[in-house]
Amino acid sequence: LSPAPLSQKLLYLAATASGFELEDETEALLQQYRETLLGNLFLEHYVSPRVMVTMGEIRDQYVANRSTYQRKKDQVRVLHFLLPDVNGATSVKVSLLKYDADVRSSLLKQYGVVPTTVSPGDMPPSLDALLFGSTRPRGVLGPISTPFGLHVLEVLEFFPKNSFRGLDEVYDEISQSLYRSKRKTIYNELLDSLDKAYAGVGVH
C-alpha cells in the first residue's frame, strides 16, 4: 500500500521529528538517484533544442537510400474493423459501402481505426488468403469470422512486391532515425566537453 502524497508528507514529518535517520547505504542510493535524475533532466534540457530535423533532410535521406524502401513482398493498405457480433459487423460494412466522408470519419473515430499496411502473415489465415490470394482484393470485404471475432475490411490500396514505399509511409521512420543520430552526436560532443571541463574532479 503506497501512501498518498499528503500522507507521505505527514509520515516524513513524523520521521524527522522522531529523529529517524537513514542508513549510510540508503543515503548513498538517494544521492545516486539524485545525480541520475538531475543529470538526465540537464541532458534533455541541453539536447532537445539542439536537435532539428528538416523536411529537406528527410527527403534527401529518402532519395539517397531509396533502394532500402523497396517492398520485399506484396502489401495491402486496409481499414480493419474487428467486431464481436454479426449485427455490429454488418452495420459497419453498410456504413462503409455508403462511401460518405462524414460517415467514414465518424466510423473510424468510433472504433479507433486507422489505415494500416499489412503483409502476408500479419493477419489470421482466412484473411491472409483473402488479401493475398490469386486475385487482388478490392473494396469492402466481410464480415469474416475468425477465432478473434468478425472482421470487416476495406482495401484502400494494393502494393506489389518490388514497388517502393512512398515518402509519406516512411516519413516517421526516417525522421526518428535522423533524430536519434543527431542526438547521439550532440550527446557524445557534450560528454567530451564535460570530460575536459571536469578533468580534475575525479569522476573516472
Side-chain angles (χ1 to χ4, degrees):
L1 181 63
S2 179
L6 178 58
S7 301
Q8 192 72 66
K9 182 69 173 178
L10 292 172
L11 290 170
Y12 170 75
L13 292 172
T16 53
S18 65
F20 189 83
E21 296 290 341
L22 295 173
E23 296 178 0
D24 291 343
E25 226 175 78
T26 308
E27 287 283 8
L29 287 173
L30 286 174
Q31 179 60 25
Q32 184 181 1
Y33 174 75
R34 177 181 172 80
E35 290 176 3
T36 300
L37 179 62
L38 289 179
N40 287 337
L41 287 173
F42 170 77
L43 178 62
E44 287 304 315
H45 179 77
Y46 181 89
V47 172
S48 293
R50 289 171 170 79
V51 181
M52 298 292 292
V53 178
T54 67
M55 183 63 203
E57 289 173 322
I58 295 172
R59 190 181 298 111
D60 290 344
Q61 180 81 354
Y62 175 76
V63 172
N65 300 279
R66 191 164 184 259
S67 61
T68 64
Y69 304 117
Q70 189 172 20
R71 301 178 201 279
K72 303 295 189 290
K73 55 184 74 173
D74 290 344
Q75 291 186 312
V76 180
R77 191 165 177 80
V78 298
L79 295 176
H80 178 208
F81 296 83
L82 179 60
L83 294 308
D85 57 70
V86 174
N87 289 338
T90 303
S91 176
V92 166
K93 180 172 185 176
V94 170
S95 296
L96 287 174
L97 287 172
K98 291 178 181 178
Y99 294 103
D100 180 288
D102 291 335
V103 171
R104 175 184 300 269
S105 177
S106 176
L107 201 63
L108 297 183
K109 185 176 180 180
Q110 178 183 349
Y111 290 97
V113 171
V114 296
T116 306
T117 301
V118 297
S119 303
D122 290 347
M123 301 288 239
S126 56
L127 299 182
D128 210 47
L130 181 64
L131 294 174
F132 300 102
S134 57
T135 58
R136 291 188 181 180
R138 296 179 181 177
V140 180
L141 310 173
I144 302 161
S145 179
T146 74
F148 304 101
L150 289 159
H151 305 256
V152 175
L153 304 100
E154 181 176 0
V155 176
L156 303 176
E157 195 168 0
F158 183 89
F159 304 109
K161 178 181 177 181
N162 295 325
S163 62
F164 291 90
R165 296 161 66 197
L167 180 56
D168 60 323
E169 291 181 74
V170 297
Y171 180 92
D172 289 340
E173 180 182 328
I174 296 175
S175 175
Q176 289 302 311
S177 175
L178 289 172
Y179 179 86
R180 287 192 297 269
S181 177
K182 290 189 173 191
R183 180 184 172 87
K184 183 177 180 180
T185 298
I186 292 173
Y187 173 70
N188 288 335
E189 291 173 349
L190 173 62
L191 284 188
D192 286 342
S193 67
L194 294 177
D195 196 39
K196 294 172 184 175
Y198 295 104
V201 176
V203 294
H204 299 286

